Amino acid sequence: MALPYDSAPKFRDYARPEMLVTTQWVADHLDHPGLVVAESDEDVLLYETGHIPGAVKLDWHTELNDPVTRDYVSGAGFAQLMSEKGIARDTTLVLYGDKNNWWAAYALWVCTLFGHPDLRLIDGGRAKWLAEGRPVTTDVPSRARTDYPVIERDDAPIRAFRDQVVAHLGGPMIDVRSPGEYSGQLLHMPDYPQEGALRGGHIPGAKNVPWSRAAADDATFRSREELEAIYGGEAGLRPDDDVVVYCRIGERSSHTWFVLHHLLGYPRVRNYDGSWTEWGNSVRVPIARGEQP
Amino acid sequence: MTAGTLNPRLRDIVEEFTALDGRERLQLLLEYAEELPPLPARYAEHRDLLERVPECQTPLFLAVEADDKGTVHLFFEAPPESPTTRGFAGILHAGLDGLSADEVLATPAEFSSQLGLQDLVSPLRLRGLAAMLARIKNQVRAAAR
């Protein structure tokens, strides 16, 4: 029941053009029964203020994470969540959200852990939909419950754990946080430690490419040429590199994971979701301070 | 300080939230976001008079005034695309604006954890609410000196 791909010319340059749709494509296909549009935002209330008609909410904090252990939901939990949302295994699941699709990319990455076959992002996300004056509603759709199968999570291809990052030291790594976080300056906000990490800095060898550099001013992804200049040129990644990306809790780096893996076609990109809130609290892991990798 | 020192308005707000189930709590938070009064012109035109609250994930600015009688007035600015942060500001405005300095200072720091939002809103955001309260109290103390 998969929907046709969006044949927008811009997407053809990307390694996997099928991973993106335009706002116009969404508007044209909203009534298609095989499509579910899901909004995933940084601000957990934003969906309630108005969303694409028919879109369901997918909450990163309360729905994709296990409520007790610092981990994602299990196969059974994911199956239950998808079933409640009215998403079937053969649904074309199109994600979008605020902040240049930062959280939507995170949701897409988590759905990838469960191998959902047809996942796509709306290029430009919520900001572009609103900027174009397209309709929004506060009506919450009631989709018929589905029977999503229990698929066990397969973390290995796209997720890195701390010990794997230790083993990867010296290999290609991208720290997608802001320069202040990377250098270690931003940990000591007077009176209020903001980052929840005991130590500041970055993983030695990691290059600093803030995630938002992959986004244009209208929140769409930059062209393949521009992205290659940033990641291949400035950051020096080679096409066959095995790359680890990280940020603070793995959300911003999901955006960069999407760019590297799906838009630029790097074969092996793993998101270290423990990220700085794990590394910066770990005993005896190496840390580098300052602006140099 | 204990929960017992919550002023009656904040206590009502806590009861209002905790009487609801999860989804309705978010709706209530949205109502507080919508009820947050706009900045008066004297601040809207002089943004430098506002204190930024960097602990909030999204930009939030506030100003605190105390009049001759020691009554505290609160002013907030948060963008509409940050309804959660606006909602927190709306709660503090509804719960503290117009009280005496002593009443504001008596608000327990753990107030942010009493709204029953822990499972709905990320801990980092709730810390933003706690930080807003801490900064309001700091300004009230500074004004009293």
Side-chain angles (χ1 to χ4, degrees), chain A residues 236-253:
Chain A
L237 294 181
R238 290 184 306 262
D240 54 349
D241 270 349
D242 172 358
V243 189
V244 167
V245 295
Y246 72 93
C247 56
R248 189 181 62 83
I249 56 170
E251 12 68 303
R252 286 175 281 181
S253 44

Side-chain angles (χ1 to χ4, degrees), chain A residues 70 161-169 173 177 196-204 244 246-248 272-288:
Chain A
R70 185 176 172 188
F161 295 97
R162 194 195 67 171
D163 291 348
Q164 294 168 329
V165 177
V166 170
H168 188 77
L169 282 169
M173 224 180 309
R177 296 173 301 161
L198 288 172
R199 297 295 164 125
H202 55 268
I203 301 177
V244 167
Y246 72 93
C247 56
R248 189 181 62 83
Y272 169 39
D273 58 279
S275 278
W276 199 255
T277 47
E278 180 178 49
W279 197 272
N281 286 317
S282 287
V283 176
R284 293 182 78 176
V285 296
I287 289 176

Side-chain angles (χ1 to χ4, degrees), chain A residues 13-15 222-237 239 259-260 263-266:
Chain A
D13 293 336
Y14 294 132
R222 294 195 179 279
S223 70
R224 176 150 194 178
E225 194 182 350
E226 291 171 311
L227 294 174
E228 280 184 346
I230 295 169
Y231 296 98
E234 290 174 40
L237 294 181
V259 169
L260 293 178
L263 303 187
L264 293 180
Y266 286 90

Side-chain angles (χ1 to χ4, degrees), chain A residues 42-49 57 59-62 98-99 103 140 189-196 248, chain B residues 23 26-27 29-30 54-55 57-58 81-85 118-125 127 134-135 138:
Chain A
E42 181 197 42
D43 192 306
V44 294
L45 267 187
L46 207 48
Y47 172 89
E48 278 78 6
T49 68
K57 175 181 179 177
D59 191 284
W60 58 277
H61 176 59
T62 58
D98 64 349
K99 304 283 163 87
W103 298 96
V140 176
M189 208 64 88
D191 301 336
Y192 304 95
Q194 190 180 8
E195 285 292 344
R248 189 181 62 83
Chain B
R23 179 177 282 274
L26 284 184
Q27 277 300 334
L29 187 57
L30 187 58
E55 296 81 21
Q57 276 180 302
T58 46
E81 63 270 21
S82 304
T84 302
T85 302
Q118 293 91 325
D119 294 336
L120 302 167
V121 174
S122 77
L124 201 66
R125 281 191 174 277
R127 253 192 278 162
R135 283 172 184 272
N138 282 345

Side-chain angles (χ1 to χ4, degrees), chain A residues 80-160:
Chain A
Q80 188 186 338
L81 176 67
M82 293 293 106
S83 299
E84 284 169 5
K85 303 278 176 192
I87 298 165
R89 188 72 177 166
D90 63 354
T91 295
T92 295
L93 179 55
V94 170
L95 295 149
Y96 77 103
D98 64 349
K99 304 283 163 87
N100 298 338
N101 273 331
W102 156 5
W103 298 96
Y106 184 40
L108 186 144
W109 178 77
V110 175
C111 292
T112 305
L113 295 172
F114 298 94
H116 187 88
D118 191 358
L119 296 164
R120 312 182 195 183
L121 275 187
I122 301 180
D123 195 26
R126 181 180 168 94
K128 189 155 192 285
W129 185 270
L130 294 178
E132 291 168 347
R134 297 183 185 274
V136 290
T137 179
T138 55
D139 294 343
V140 176
S142 53
R143 300 188 61 87
R145 195 188 159 87
T146 58
D147 191 15
Y148 199 95
V150 174
I151 308 283
E152 287 314 320
R153 242 180 32 220
D154 183 10
D155 291 334
I158 60 166
R159 187 179 184 194

